[in-house]
Amino acid sequence: MAADWSVGARGSLTLIALLLTAGCGARRASPATPVAPPAPAMIVLLPDPETRVTGRIHVSNEFGGVDLSAPRSSLNARANAALGPVTILSEDEVNRLFGEALAALPPAPKQFVLQFTFESDTLTDESTALIPAILAAVKALPVPEVVIIGHTDTMGDRKSNLALGLRRAMRVRNILVEAGLPASTLDVTSHGEADPLVKTRDNTPEPRNRRVGITVR
Amino acid sequence: MSGLLIRTMGVVGLVIAAATPAAAQQPVPAGHIKTVAGAAFVVREHGSTPAKPGDAIFATDTLRTAGDGTLGVTLKDDTRLSLGPNSEVKIDRYVYSPGEGGMGMVLKFVRGVAVYVSGRLAKLAPDSIRLEAPSAIVGVRGTTVAIKVGA
C-alpha cells in the first residue's frame, strides 16, 4: 500500500518536472523576450446603442491619463509608452473592428416603475395600465429575467426601509404572478432608500421614491 | 446489504450536512448569458463549459470565445458585455447590492474584441468601476466602450 503510494507520488513529481522543463526550454529558446510585454490595446468610446448619447471615459496608464468624450474617439495603449494620440474612427471602421461584438450585445433592459396609491396595497391606475406592456416585454425575450426592486424614501432608518422595500416588491411579484408570469423568472429584491428616483436629504418624505422598479432583460 | 445501505445513507447525510452551509454561502450570480453564437465558453475554477443562453455567470468567471464564437451577457445591474471571436474577458470582481452598500466591478480584457455598455453601477457608483486592458485602465461615466486587445 505504502509502496503504491510512493510510486504514484513519484509519478506525479516526474510529470510536474517535465512541464517545468518544457516551460524553461521555451523561454530559453527566445532570450530576447524573457517575459512577453503586455499586449497593446485600442480603446474606443462609442455612443450608447439605443439612446445614441455618448458618455465619457478616462483612460490611464503609468505615464498619465486621457479623457475621451467625442463619439468614436479612440486611442492606442502600448506597454512602456504614453497613451497614443486620440483619433476619431469612422462608423465603417467601428463596424469592421467591433461589428461582431456589437451584434452579440444582449437587448437593452427595459425599465418600468410602479407606484401605489398613498399608504395602500393598490397600484395607481397609471401603474395598473403598465402591466400588459410588462408582459409583452417579457414575451419578446428568448431568455427573460424579471427583476422586481422595492424602493423607499428616506423617512426612517436604512434597515427598516430595506424591509419595507422588500414588502412592496413582494406585492408587485404577486400581482405579476396573478397576471400570468411564471414565478421562476421573477427575482425579488430591495434597495431600500439607497437608490432614489429623486435625491433627497435623510428623513425626507418623497412619494416619487416610494416605488417598485421592474427591469425586464 | 443493509449495512451498505445504512453506510450509504450515512454518507448521503454527511454530504447534505456538509453541503448545506456551503449552499447558504453560494454567491448570487453576477449575471446571465443572453446571446451565444458558435463556440463560446465560461471558464471557472474546475475547467471550461460551453456557454448556453440563460446560464448564470459569477464573479471571477472568465468568458472566452473561439474563432467562430461570440457571446453576450447582461449583469445584475443591467451592464451589458459582449465578446467578438477569439476573445477573452475576466469578470475579476463584481458586487452589486446597493441596499447593503456594496458595489464594484473590475473587468479584465485579456484578448480580442469586446464591447461594454454601462448599467446602474455606473450611475450609482461610477468610481467603483474599472475596465482593465493589459496596458491601460479605463474609468467610465455611464457610457459605451469598445476595446480591442492585441495587434
Side-chain angles (χ1 to χ4, degrees), chain A residues 42 44 50 58 101 104 195 217, chain B residues 35 78 80 82 120 139 146 148:
Chain A
M42 174 194 250
V44 187
E50 284 78 31
H58 181 77
D195 189 2
R217 66 185 178 213
Chain B
T35 71
D78 295 342
R80 287 177 287 161
S82 62
R120 296 286 305 156
K148 178 176 175 284

Side-chain angles (χ1 to χ4, degrees), chain A residues 101 104-106, chain B residues 32-37 63 70-74 81-83:
Chain A
L105 270 181
Chain B
H32 290 86
I33 292 167
K34 297 292 185 184
T35 71
V36 177
L63 309 174
T70 67
L71 176 65
V73 302
T74 304
L81 177 70
S82 62
L83 280 67

Side-chain angles (χ1 to χ4, degrees), chain A residues 99-215:
Chain A
E100 283 167 300
L102 284 165
L105 270 181
K110 286 202 166 77
Q111 318 283 350
F112 301 88
V113 175
L114 300 185
Q115 262 148 342
F116 296 88
T117 55
F118 187 63
E119 295 202 330
S120 84
D121 278 12
T122 347
L123 293 177
T124 61
D125 290 345
E126 293 87 342
S127 293
T128 304
L130 282 176
I131 303 284
I134 296 171
L135 299 182
V138 175
K139 278 208 186 112
L141 295 172
V143 277
E145 279 173 86
V146 181
V147 185
I148 304 166
I149 304 173
H151 301 275
T152 69
D153 60 20
T154 58
M155 293 297 287
D157 66 86
R158 228 175 79 124
K159 216 176 145 196
S160 57
N161 278 332
L162 207 54
L164 175 60
L166 194 60
R167 284 201 297 278
R168 288 194 175 137
M170 282 305 290
R171 269 187 255 151
V172 168
R173 176 199 172 273
N174 295 340
I175 290 166
L176 291 178
V177 169
E178 250 170 64
L181 286 188
S184 63
T185 62
L186 304 177
D187 177 23
V188 182
T189 181
S190 170
H191 288 178
E193 62 179 56
D195 189 2
L197 202 59
V198 184
K199 261 217 164 6
T200 68
R201 290 159 175 266
D202 200 13
N203 283 312
T204 309
E206 174 49 74
R208 285 172 291 177
N209 287 339
R210 296 175 206 138
R211 72 206 194 275
V212 172
I214 296 176
T215 301

Side-chain angles (χ1 to χ4, degrees), chain A residues 26-61:
Chain A
R27 214 170 282 169
R28 239 182 264 131
S30 53
T33 53
V35 177
M42 174 194 250
I43 291 149
V44 187
L45 176 65
L46 295 177
D48 181 275
E50 284 78 31
T51 65
R52 308 309 296 170
V53 173
T54 304
R56 203 156 54 78
I57 56 174
H58 181 77
V59 185
S60 61
N61 68 3

Side-chain angles (χ1 to χ4, degrees), chain B residues 17-66:
Chain B
T20 307
Q25 288 163 17
Q26 274 275 308
V28 285
H32 290 86
I33 292 167
K34 297 292 185 184
T35 71
V36 177
F41 305 90
V42 177
V43 185
R44 208 164 283 160
E45 233 173 291
H46 300 293
S48 102
T49 48
K52 291 189 310 294
D55 283 356
I57 52 167
F58 298 87
T60 76
D61 282 355
T62 293
L63 309 174
R64 186 182 288 165
T65 56

Side-chain angles (χ1 to χ4, degrees), chain B residues 77-128:
Chain B
D77 73 302
D78 295 342
T79 294
R80 287 177 287 161
L81 177 70
S82 62
L83 280 67
N86 281 321
S87 302
E88 184 172 325
V89 176
K90 182 174 191 204
I91 302 165
D92 208 34
R93 173 175 143 81
Y94 187 83
V95 182
Y96 181 64
S97 35
E100 288 79 20
M103 285 186 270
M105 170 166 66
V106 177
L107 302 178
K108 278 195 170 164
F109 295 78
V110 180
R111 186 164 64 92
V113 171
V115 173
Y116 155 94
V117 181
S118 65
R120 296 286 305 156
L121 259 175
K123 295 195 174 80
L124 294 172
D127 293 331
S128 74

